[in-house]
PDB file of all heavy atoms in Angstrom:
ATOM      1  N   THR A   1      27.203 -52.986-105.752  1.00  0.00           N
ATOM      2  CA  THR A   1      27.880 -52.248-104.755  1.00  0.00           C
ATOM      3  C   THR A   1      27.987 -50.746-105.171  1.00  0.00           C
ATOM      4  O   THR A   1      27.668 -50.439-106.403  1.00  0.00           O
ATOM      5  CB  THR A   1      29.311 -52.789-104.640  1.00  0.00           C
ATOM      6  OG1 THR A   1      30.105 -52.369-105.797  1.00  0.00           O
ATOM      7  CG2 THR A   1      29.377 -54.320-104.536  1.00  0.00           C
ATOM      8  N   GLU A   2      28.486 -49.892-104.360  1.00  0.00           N
ATOM      9  CA  GLU A   2      28.488 -48.476-104.716  1.00  0.00           C
ATOM     10  C   GLU A   2      29.451 -48.226-105.700  1.00  0.00           C
ATOM     11  O   GLU A   2      29.366 -47.197-106.425  1.00  0.00           O
ATOM     12  CB  GLU A   2      28.935 -47.734-103.369  1.00  0.00           C
ATOM     13  CG  GLU A   2      28.659 -46.251-103.447  1.00  0.00           C
ATOM     14  CD  GLU A   2      28.916 -45.552-101.998  1.00  0.00           C
ATOM     15  OE1 GLU A   2      29.416 -46.284-101.193  1.00  0.00           O
ATOM     16  OE2 GLU A   2      28.570 -44.428-101.995  1.00  0.00           O
ATOM     17  N   ASP A   3      30.483 -49.088-105.878  1.00  0.00           N
ATOM     18  CA  ASP A   3      31.471 -48.773-106.912  1.00  0.00           C
ATOM     19  C   ASP A   3      31.227 -49.260-108.327  1.00  0.00           C
ATOM     20  O   ASP A   3      31.932 -49.146-109.201  1.00  0.00           O
ATOM     21  CB  ASP A   3      32.879 -49.187-106.435  1.00  0.00           C
ATOM     22  CG  ASP A   3      33.333 -48.417-105.200  1.00  0.00           C
ATOM     23  OD1 ASP A   3      32.925 -47.305-105.069  1.00  0.00           O
ATOM     24  OD2 ASP A   3      34.106 -49.111-104.413  1.00  0.00           O
ATOM     25  N   GLU A   4      30.258 -50.267-108.307  1.00  0.00           N
ATOM     26  CA  GLU A   4      29.950 -50.953-109.573  1.00  0.00           C
ATOM     27  C   GLU A   4      28.967 -50.232-110.411  1.00  0.00           C
ATOM     28  O   GLU A   4      28.203 -49.314-109.916  1.00  0.00           O
ATOM     29  CB  GLU A   4      29.376 -52.281-109.309  1.00  0.00           C
ATOM     30  CG  GLU A   4      30.505 -53.237-108.732  1.00  0.00           C
ATOM     31  CD  GLU A   4      29.978 -54.763-108.502  1.00  0.00           C
ATOM     32  OE1 GLU A   4      29.175 -55.120-109.457  1.00  0.00           O
ATOM     33  OE2 GLU A   4      30.518 -55.331-107.615  1.00  0.00           O
ATOM     34  N   PRO A   5      28.864 -50.404-111.779  1.00  0.00           N
ATOM     35  CA  PRO A   5      27.844 -49.748-112.553  1.00  0.00           C
ATOM     36  C   PRO A   5      26.474 -50.183-112.305  1.00  0.00           C
ATOM     37  O   PRO A   5      26.280 -51.234-111.657  1.00  0.00           O
ATOM     38  CB  PRO A   5      28.358 -50.180-114.025  1.00  0.00           C
ATOM     39  CG  PRO A   5      29.029 -51.411-113.889  1.00  0.00           C
ATOM     40  CD  PRO A   5      29.862 -51.305-112.531  1.00  0.00           C
ATOM     41  N   ASP A   6      25.526 -49.474-112.734  1.00  0.00           N
ATOM     42  CA  ASP A   6      24.119 -49.776-112.461  1.00  0.00           C
ATOM     43  C   ASP A   6      23.757 -51.150-113.158  1.00  0.00           C
ATOM     44  O   ASP A   6      24.191 -51.365-114.269  1.00  0.00           O
ATOM     45  CB  ASP A   6      23.223 -48.698-113.101  1.00  0.00           C
ATOM     46  CG  ASP A   6      23.372 -47.317-112.462  1.00  0.00           C
ATOM     47  OD1 ASP A   6      23.758 -47.240-111.338  1.00  0.00           O
ATOM     48  OD2 ASP A   6      23.121 -46.321-113.167  1.00  0.00           O
ATOM     49  N   SER A   7      23.077 -51.946-112.399  1.00  0.00           N
ATOM     50  CA  SER A   7      22.438 -53.138-112.968  1.00  0.00           C
ATOM     51  C   SER A   7      21.119 -52.885-113.535  1.00  0.00           C
ATOM     52  O   SER A   7      20.487 -53.649-114.281  1.00  0.00           O
ATOM     53  CB  SER A   7      22.440 -54.219-111.912  1.00  0.00           C
ATOM     54  OG  SER A   7      21.684 -53.827-110.771  1.00  0.00           O
ATOM     55  N   PHE A   8      20.456 -51.754-113.091  1.00  0.00           N
ATOM     56  CA  PHE A   8      19.115 -51.357-113.606  1.00  0.00           C
ATOM     57  C   PHE A   8      19.010 -49.840-113.345  1.00  0.00           C
ATOM     58  O   PHE A   8      19.523 -49.298-112.403  1.00  0.00           O
ATOM     59  CB  PHE A   8      18.049 -52.125-112.741  1.00  0.00           C
ATOM     60  CG  PHE A   8      16.723 -51.508-112.899  1.00  0.00           C
ATOM     61  CD1 PHE A   8      15.891 -51.956-114.060  1.00  0.00           C
ATOM     62  CD2 PHE A   8      16.133 -50.573-112.125  1.00  0.00           C
ATOM     63  CE1 PHE A   8      14.618 -51.462-114.212  1.00  0.00           C
ATOM     64  CE2 PHE A   8      14.871 -50.033-112.247  1.00  0.00           C
ATOM     65  CZ  PHE A   8      14.175 -50.459-113.335  1.00  0.00           C
ATOM     66  N   VAL A   9      18.463 -49.180-114.343  1.00  0.00           N
ATOM     67  CA  VAL A   9      18.221 -47.709-114.259  1.00  0.00           C
ATOM     68  C   VAL A   9      17.096 -47.470-115.186  1.00  0.00           C
ATOM     69  O   VAL A   9      16.797 -47.973-116.305  1.00  0.00           O
ATOM     70  CB  VAL A   9      19.439 -46.961-114.621  1.00  0.00           C
ATOM     71  CG1 VAL A   9      19.871 -47.153-116.078  1.00  0.00           C
ATOM     72  CG2 VAL A   9      19.298 -45.390-114.411  1.00  0.00           C
ATOM     73  N   ARG A  10      16.216 -46.486-114.743  1.00  0.00           N
ATOM     74  CA  ARG A  10      15.161 -45.953-115.577  1.00  0.00           C
ATOM     75  C   ARG A  10      14.818 -44.512-115.131  1.00  0.00           C
ATOM     76  O   ARG A  10      14.939 -44.137-113.958  1.00  0.00           O
ATOM     77  CB  ARG A  10      13.877 -46.782-115.548  1.00  0.00           C
ATOM     78  CG  ARG A  10      13.195 -46.927-114.115  1.00  0.00           C
ATOM     79  CD  ARG A  10      11.952 -47.606-114.294  1.00  0.00           C
ATOM     80  NE  ARG A  10      11.293 -47.922-113.073  1.00  0.00           N
ATOM     81  CZ  ARG A  10      10.023 -48.209-112.894  1.00  0.00           C
ATOM     82  NH1 ARG A  10       9.253 -48.546-113.887  1.00  0.00           N
ATOM     83  NH2 ARG A  10       9.656 -48.570-111.666  1.00  0.00           N
ATOM     84  N   VAL A  11      14.344 -43.745-116.070  1.00  0.00           N
ATOM     85  CA  VAL A  11      14.001 -42.442-115.814  1.00  0.00           C
ATOM     86  C   VAL A  11      12.621 -42.292-115.215  1.00  0.00           C
ATOM     87  O   VAL A  11      11.805 -42.938-115.588  1.00  0.00           O
ATOM     88  CB  VAL A  11      14.036 -41.481-117.044  1.00  0.00           C
ATOM     89  CG1 VAL A  11      13.515 -40.107-116.714  1.00  0.00           C
ATOM     90  CG2 VAL A  11      15.514 -41.416-117.614  1.00  0.00           C
ATOM     91  N   ARG A  12      12.408 -41.494-114.022  1.00  0.00           N
ATOM     92  CA  ARG A  12      11.212 -41.343-113.411  1.00  0.00           C
ATOM     93  C   ARG A  12      10.671 -40.018-113.431  1.00  0.00           C
ATOM     94  O   ARG A  12      11.570 -39.012-113.576  1.00  0.00           O
ATOM     95  CB  ARG A  12      11.332 -41.915-111.918  1.00  0.00           C
ATOM     96  CG  ARG A  12      11.681 -43.388-111.709  1.00  0.00           C
ATOM     97  CD  ARG A  12      10.520 -44.231-112.123  1.00  0.00           C
ATOM     98  NE  ARG A  12       9.240 -43.902-111.435  1.00  0.00           N
ATOM     99  CZ  ARG A  12       8.960 -44.389-110.170  1.00  0.00           C
ATOM    100  NH1 ARG A  12       9.849 -45.293-109.619  1.00  0.00           N
ATOM    101  NH2 ARG A  12       7.805 -43.982-109.593  1.00  0.00           N
ATOM    102  N   THR A  13       9.363 -39.813-113.340  1.00  0.00           N
ATOM    103  CA  THR A  13       8.839 -38.444-113.248  1.00  0.00           C
ATOM    104  C   THR A  13       8.155 -38.230-111.952  1.00  0.00           C
ATOM    105  O   THR A  13       7.689 -39.209-111.322  1.00  0.00           O
ATOM    106  CB  THR A  13       7.838 -38.150-114.473  1.00  0.00           C
ATOM    107  OG1 THR A  13       6.749 -39.259-114.413  1.00  0.00           O
ATOM    108  CG2 THR A  13       8.530 -38.234-115.767  1.00  0.00           C
ATOM    109  N   LEU A  14       8.033 -36.988-111.552  1.00  0.00           N
ATOM    110  CA  LEU A  14       7.360 -36.718-110.257  1.00  0.00           C
ATOM    111  C   LEU A  14       5.843 -36.703-110.406  1.00  0.00           C
ATOM    112  O   LEU A  14       5.271 -36.429-111.406  1.00  0.00           O
ATOM    113  CB  LEU A  14       7.719 -35.244-109.764  1.00  0.00           C
ATOM    114  CG  LEU A  14       9.048 -35.027-109.232  1.00  0.00           C
ATOM    115  CD1 LEU A  14       9.201 -33.559-108.839  1.00  0.00           C
ATOM    116  CD2 LEU A  14       9.318 -35.871-107.976  1.00  0.00           C
ATOM    117  N   GLY A  15       5.201 -37.110-109.407  1.00  0.00           N
ATOM    118  CA  GLY A  15       3.730 -37.110-109.414  1.00  0.00           C
ATOM    119  C   GLY A  15       3.245 -35.671-109.177  1.00  0.00           C
ATOM    120  O   GLY A  15       3.994 -34.751-108.886  1.00  0.00           O
ATOM    121  N   SER A  16       1.958 -35.508-109.154  1.00  0.00           N
ATOM    122  CA  SER A  16       1.377 -34.155-108.974  1.00  0.00           C
ATOM    123  C   SER A  16       1.595 -33.654-107.539  1.00  0.00           C
ATOM    124  O   SER A  16       1.559 -32.400-107.376  1.00  0.00           O
ATOM    125  CB  SER A  16      -0.177 -34.188-109.228  1.00  0.00           C
ATOM    126  OG  SER A  16      -0.727 -35.162-108.305  1.00  0.00           O
ATOM    127  N   ASP A  17       1.968 -34.532-106.665  1.00  0.00           N
ATOM    128  CA  ASP A  17       2.292 -34.108-105.233  1.00  0.00           C
ATOM    129  C   ASP A  17       3.828 -33.980-105.000  1.00  0.00           C
ATOM    130  O   ASP A  17       4.208 -33.948-103.866  1.00  0.00           O
ATOM    131  CB  ASP A  17       1.609 -35.123-104.354  1.00  0.00           C
ATOM    132  CG  ASP A  17       2.112 -36.580-104.464  1.00  0.00           C
ATOM    133  OD1 ASP A  17       2.820 -36.807-105.431  1.00  0.00           O
ATOM    134  OD2 ASP A  17       1.719 -37.483-103.757  1.00  0.00           O
ATOM    135  N   SER A  18       4.589 -33.970-106.095  1.00  0.00           N
ATOM    136  CA  SER A  18       5.989 -33.803-105.969  1.00  0.00           C
ATOM    137  C   SER A  18       6.671 -34.842-105.325  1.00  0.00           C
ATOM    138  O   SER A  18       7.714 -34.796-104.548  1.00  0.00           O
ATOM    139  CB  SER A  18       6.427 -32.425-105.313  1.00  0.00           C
ATOM    140  OG  SER A  18       5.794 -31.371-105.919  1.00  0.00           O
ATOM    141  N   ARG A  19       6.185 -36.158-105.434  1.00  0.00           N
ATOM    142  CA  ARG A  19       6.793 -37.261-104.943  1.00  0.00           C
ATOM    143  C   ARG A  19       7.163 -38.363-105.957  1.00  0.00           C
ATOM    144  O   ARG A  19       6.513 -38.379-106.999  1.00  0.00           O
ATOM    145  CB  ARG A  19       5.803 -37.938-103.842  1.00  0.00           C
ATOM    146  CG  ARG A  19       5.390 -37.032-102.715  1.00  0.00           C
ATOM    147  CD  ARG A  19       4.192 -37.722-101.890  1.00  0.00           C
ATOM    148  NE  ARG A  19       3.660 -36.711-100.947  1.00  0.00           N
ATOM    149  CZ  ARG A  19       4.079 -36.636 -99.678  1.00  0.00           C
ATOM    150  NH1 ARG A  19       4.962 -37.517 -99.235  1.00  0.00           N
ATOM    151  NH2 ARG A  19       3.541 -35.816 -98.878  1.00  0.00           N
ATOM    152  N   VAL A  20       8.098 -39.260-105.527  1.00  0.00           N
ATOM    153  CA  VAL A  20       8.411 -40.327-106.421  1.00  0.00           C
ATOM    154  C   VAL A  20       8.693 -41.510-105.481  1.00  0.00           C
ATOM    155  O   VAL A  20       9.274 -41.400-104.335  1.00  0.00           O
ATOM    156  CB  VAL A  20       9.690 -40.011-107.333  1.00  0.00           C
ATOM    157  CG1 VAL A  20      10.926 -39.731-106.445  1.00  0.00           C
ATOM    158  CG2 VAL A  20       9.936 -41.182-108.278  1.00  0.00           C
ATOM    159  N   ALA A  21       8.261 -42.746-105.923  1.00  0.00           N
ATOM    160  CA  ALA A  21       8.346 -43.888-105.007  1.00  0.00           C
ATOM    161  C   ALA A  21       8.665 -45.074-105.773  1.00  0.00           C
ATOM    162  O   ALA A  21       8.455 -45.198-106.969  1.00  0.00           O
ATOM    163  CB  ALA A  21       6.973 -44.074-104.264  1.00  0.00           C
ATOM    164  N   LEU A  22       9.362 -46.074-105.124  1.00  0.00           N
ATOM    165  CA  LEU A  22       9.634 -47.373-105.654  1.00  0.00           C
ATOM    166  C   LEU A  22       9.217 -48.451-104.559  1.00  0.00           C
ATOM    167  O   LEU A  22       9.231 -48.158-103.364  1.00  0.00           O
ATOM    168  CB  LEU A  22      10.994 -47.508-106.069  1.00  0.00           C
ATOM    169  CG  LEU A  22      12.158 -47.412-104.922  1.00  0.00           C
ATOM    170  CD1 LEU A  22      12.403 -48.682-104.219  1.00  0.00           C
ATOM    171  CD2 LEU A  22      13.484 -47.056-105.629  1.00  0.00           C
ATOM    172  N   ILE A  23       8.819 -49.557-105.072  1.00  0.00           N
ATOM    173  CA  ILE A  23       8.430 -50.714-104.257  1.00  0.00           C
ATOM    174  C   ILE A  23       9.052 -51.861-104.748  1.00  0.00           C
ATOM    175  O   ILE A  23       9.066 -52.199-106.049  1.00  0.00           O
ATOM    176  CB  ILE A  23       6.873 -50.875-104.292  1.00  0.00           C
ATOM    177  CG1 ILE A  23       6.145 -49.631-103.649  1.00  0.00           C
ATOM    178  CG2 ILE A  23       6.464 -52.106-103.360  1.00  0.00           C
ATOM    179  CD1 ILE A  23       4.683 -49.650-103.758  1.00  0.00           C
ATOM    180  N   ARG A  24       9.683 -52.746-103.943  1.00  0.00           N
ATOM    181  CA  ARG A  24      10.379 -53.980-104.336  1.00  0.00           C
ATOM    182  C   ARG A  24       9.707 -55.036-103.368  1.00  0.00           C
ATOM    183  O   ARG A  24       9.808 -54.914-102.104  1.00  0.00           O
ATOM    184  CB  ARG A  24      11.789 -53.873-104.143  1.00  0.00           C
ATOM    185  CG  ARG A  24      12.538 -52.942-104.996  1.00  0.00           C
ATOM    186  CD  ARG A  24      12.482 -53.509-106.507  1.00  0.00           C
ATOM    187  NE  ARG A  24      13.374 -52.601-107.274  1.00  0.00           N
ATOM    188  CZ  ARG A  24      13.038 -51.455-107.851  1.00  0.00           C
ATOM    189  NH1 ARG A  24      11.779 -50.984-107.627  1.00  0.00           N
ATOM    190  NH2 ARG A  24      13.901 -50.722-108.657  1.00  0.00           N
TER     191      ARG A  24
END
């Protein structure tokens, strides 16, 4: 939920095209 702590977190870096994506 919005008020609860993260259940998962990781640092991401931008690609050469200034984009970042996730897939589930």
Side-chain angles (χ1 to χ4, degrees):
T1 73
E2 195 173 8
D3 295 332
E4 293 187 31
D6 297 333
S7 57
F8 167 84
V9 63
R10 65 171 172 170
V11 175
R12 296 290 305 273
T13 57
L14 286 176
S16 58
D17 55 358
S18 303
R19 300 170 188 265
V20 62
L22 63 81
I23 298 175
R24 296 287 190 275

